[in-house]
Amino acid sequence: MRKELLILFLLLPIACQKETISVCDSEKKLRDVADFRVGTTFDQFRGSLYLYGEVVGEHFNRISSENALKMDRTVLSYSEFDFFPYASLSREGKFNKLQAIHIHPVIWHKQVPKWLPDLPADSLESFLKNYCTKFREYLGYTDLLVVDGIDVVNEALNEDGSMRQSFWYQAMGKDFLTLAYKEFSKLDPAIKLFYNDYNLESNPVKLDAALDLCDWLREQGVRVDGIGMQMHITIHEPSISDMAAAVQKIIDRGYMIHFSELDISLNPYGKYDTATPELLNKQAERYYEVFRLYQEIPKDLQYGITVWGLADPYSWIPDTYARFDAPLILGESFEPKPAYCSCLNALEK
Ligand code: G3I
């Protein structure tokens, strides 16, 4: 039954939004129209939910910790950790009507203290055990926001499907994953545990490797509930049929799906210095496709969609690639863009 659902979607002509609009004047809010969680991120370095929380709570019902819970923020020394950003995000989120938080990430090879990769293997393993235990314990510290789920491990694979030669892997092999998922498996099963990575929507070899890795973890007796498809895509690629095929594969293997870091670059080649109406409408069509695709996922496997940034000025892309871009659904002044309307249209189908 499940297979037919998505293939049917592939066959259907995707009735994108035909009229071209320059602004989205709908009074409707994404969080009220979606029947799954719609989330965003907020980088506390760039501001505070105290300042912008009202906007977040107006459109979204979940927050993901973009940078606040990465080890370069939480690890003070070998055995001292500060998870307070979780509590402050939860408090500010609750104050601004959010319902849930998604924890991103526990283990990543980037944004770690400079001294961490140089630890001897046995010290690194002891550090990781202690870190995961303290992190898990801290999540019970406050019930301000529901913890929907956790990116326990982020980006452990190469594009060819082999294991990334990160300092975690070089020290412990795949045991670093087993150790982490085993610790967080102690949490309430309502808190979903994810493996999160990029290009899973466009690289079938990497997606197969991610699914095999998660199956292997389950065979080790630990809990992995879902796959985070980051969905950092552009107005040009990948095709909706490639993305639908990837989603179908995950459905067939029985994993939940989180479109975990969705943004749609409208200037991937750096050709433009402003968002023309044509670019905005092409972007709107792509957001429509992605949200329609997500709608086709069986409800029990839907975890939600997270756009990776509250509004265009807070996207990671312009700083990272030193180019103009406007990849999100809220614009410079938090105004809903055409893409916002197309997400609403997709959800109301
Ligand atoms: O906190 C420092 C601040 O003290 C300093 O003054 C400032 C200027 O140098 O930098 C601040 O740190 C920046 C940090 O974001 C917080 O804003 C780092 O330079 C910057 O590199 C970092 O970028 C983040 C990036 O991950 C790091 O790789 C982006 O905000 C964040 O959106 C991005 O998110 C990742 C996901 O975690 C995993 N998937 C890919 C995604 C995009 O790279």
Side-chain angles (χ1 to χ4, degrees), residues 214-274:
C214 292
D215 286 354
W216 177 82
L217 283 164
R218 284 179 166 178
E219 287 155 15
Q220 310 313 304
V222 300
R223 182 160 62 86
V224 186
D225 301 299
I227 300 278
M229 302 170 78
Q230 291 185 8
M231 298 289 281
H232 293 298
I233 65 177
T234 81
I235 55 173
H236 306 299
E237 56 190 1
S239 69
I240 190 62
S241 56
D242 285 354
M243 292 191 277
V247 165
Q248 183 64 59
K249 261 190 190 176
I250 301 172
I251 290 170
D252 293 345
R253 300 279 279 266
Y255 288 96
M256 294 186 81
I257 298 172
H258 181 199
F259 285 178
S260 58
E261 305 183 12
L262 176 62
D263 43 35
I264 303 184
S265 167
L266 50 64
N267 186 31
Y269 311 124
K271 283 170 58 181
Y272 303 94
D273 56 12
T274 184

Side-chain angles (χ1 to χ4, degrees), residues 234 265-270 272 317-325:
T234 81
S265 167
L266 50 64
N267 186 31
Y269 311 124
Y272 303 94
I317 290 178
D319 289 351
T320 306
Y321 298 109
R323 72 171 188 245
F324 162 76
D325 218 317

Side-chain angles (χ1 to χ4, degrees), residues 43 45-46 66-67 70 73 104 108 110-111 154-155 230 232 261 308 316:
D43 176 8
F45 163 68
R46 295 167 191 261
E66 182 174 1
N67 291 302
K70 290 173 178 173
R73 302 286 180 82
H104 167 86
W108 195 21
K110 287 184 176 178
Q111 290 183 267
N154 186 51
E155 302 174 15
Q230 291 185 8
H232 293 298
E261 305 183 12
W308 203 245
W316 65 286

Side-chain angles (χ1 to χ4, degrees), residues 12 44 275 290 334:
L12 284 178
Q44 290 176 294
V290 169
F334 304 126

Side-chain angles (χ1 to χ4, degrees), residues 307-333:
V307 290
W308 203 245
L310 174 59
D312 285 337
Y314 299 101
S315 170
W316 65 286
I317 290 178
D319 289 351
T320 306
Y321 298 109
R323 72 171 188 245
F324 162 76
D325 218 317
L328 297 165
I329 59 177
L330 296 179
E332 287 284 331
S333 311

